[in-house]
Amino acid sequence: MGKASKIISQARLEDRKALLETEAKTICMEYNIPVTAFKLAQNEEEAAEYAEQLGFPVVLKIVSPQIIHKSDAGGVKVNLKTPSEVQEAYRKILKNAQAYNAEAQVVGVLVQEMAPQSTEVIIGAVKDAQFGQTLMFGLGGIFVELLKDVTFRIAPITQADAVEMITGVKAYPLLTGYRNTPPADIDALTTILLNTSRLVMDYPEIKELDLNPVMAYEKGAKTVDARIILE
Ligand code: ADP
Ligand code: MG
């Protein structure tokens, strides 16, 4: 049994619908979807040690089954440059999580590689009652949230579908390079869409999948946050 099956069965056993970021990213890795390197720390010394191993700067994030939107809970600290900054962030994150939801069970604090800033895209999947697994593509931030500038295709998708999804958003010119921003690696984004399609076709029990954001680089792309919700 692969890692994805094990993680999904375990979540089912524990009656958890929302997978942890660590679990969602481990599943992504099995499907060759690039994610930021990470390690789960249980105390602040361990967090500092993992930060040294991963290389500064790092990002720290709360890992709790009850906290799905981590930044809403003050559970994300970015651009931590020294061991003492990491330790302080660790304490703050735990404190914020406690204040946000006193009942929240904390699995640990995720220490992860900080992905350089770039154009952010969102790749997602939702299981539509009528059409089944459906993939979504859009640019991050206001493009999805405010302008609803997204494209959809019913899974499984072909390479041509994936390219159409990317080139089909109104904001596509932002991915072809503008001013000081280099063009994004469209092949890398296409591959992530195809791999996401494979993943949700293999697991019909996935109700929602969100890679939000994915940093689109001139060469390659990296998923910074992954969320998977089961039926
Ligand atoms: P959530 O969506 O649960 O609030 P995220 O993991 O998406 O939490 O983190 C919030 C924001 O912090 C992201 O949208 C991204 O801008 C930034 N961020 C998170 N992790 C990283 C990372 N590893 N590298 C760079 N930026 C990050
Ligand atoms: Mg996110």
Side-chain angles (χ1 to χ4, degrees), residues 70 212-213 225 227:
K70 302 172 292 280
N212 180 10
D225 184 24
R227 193 160 16 245

Side-chain angles (χ1 to χ4, degrees), residues 32-34 118-124 135-140 157-159 161-167 169 171-172 174-176 183-197 211 213-223:
N32 287 317
I33 297 167
S118 189
T119 309
E120 295 186 3
V121 306
I122 297 178
I123 289 172
L135 293 157
M136 191 210 82
F137 178 84
L139 271 79
I157 57 165
T158 63
Q159 167 112 11
D161 292 329
V163 171
E164 274 177 28
M165 288 180 74
I166 298 166
T167 56
V169 293
Y172 174 65
L174 290 178
L175 294 173
T176 59
D185 187 340
I186 303 298
D187 285 348
L189 298 178
T190 304
T191 304
I192 296 179
L193 275 166
L194 286 168
N195 289 340
T196 304
S197 172
L211 310 179
V214 176
M215 299 286 185
Y217 298 114
E218 195 169 5
K219 201 162 182 337
K222 207 164 249 192
T223 303

Side-chain angles (χ1 to χ4, degrees), residues 67-94:
I67 302 177
I68 295 178
H69 298 282
K70 302 172 292 280
S71 16
D72 291 355
V76 180
K77 301 275 174 209
V78 302
N79 204 23
L80 306 167
K81 297 191 197 78
T82 63
S84 66
E85 276 182 28
V86 167
Q87 297 196 358
E88 194 191 324
Y90 187 101
R91 292 191 292 271
K92 272 210 185 113
I93 284 176
L94 288 193

Side-chain angles (χ1 to χ4, degrees), residues 107-178:
V107 178
V109 173
L110 200 56
V111 183
Q112 61 183 243
E113 157 200 5
M114 168 115 181
Q117 274 308 304
S118 189
T119 309
E120 295 186 3
V121 306
I122 297 178
I123 289 172
V126 285
K127 190 169 180 180
D128 183 86
Q130 208 170 353
F131 301 110
Q133 299 289 16
T134 306
L135 293 157
M136 191 210 82
F137 178 84
L139 271 79
I142 60 162
F143 293 100
V144 167
E145 284 157 27
L146 197 66
L147 305 174
K148 315 279 182 226
D149 178 19
V150 291
T151 48
F152 292 97
R153 287 290 183 285
I154 297 166
I157 57 165
T158 63
Q159 167 112 11
D161 292 329
V163 171
E164 274 177 28
M165 288 180 74
I166 298 166
T167 56
V169 293
K170 293 193 192 75
Y172 174 65
L174 290 178
L175 294 173
T176 59
Y178 63 102

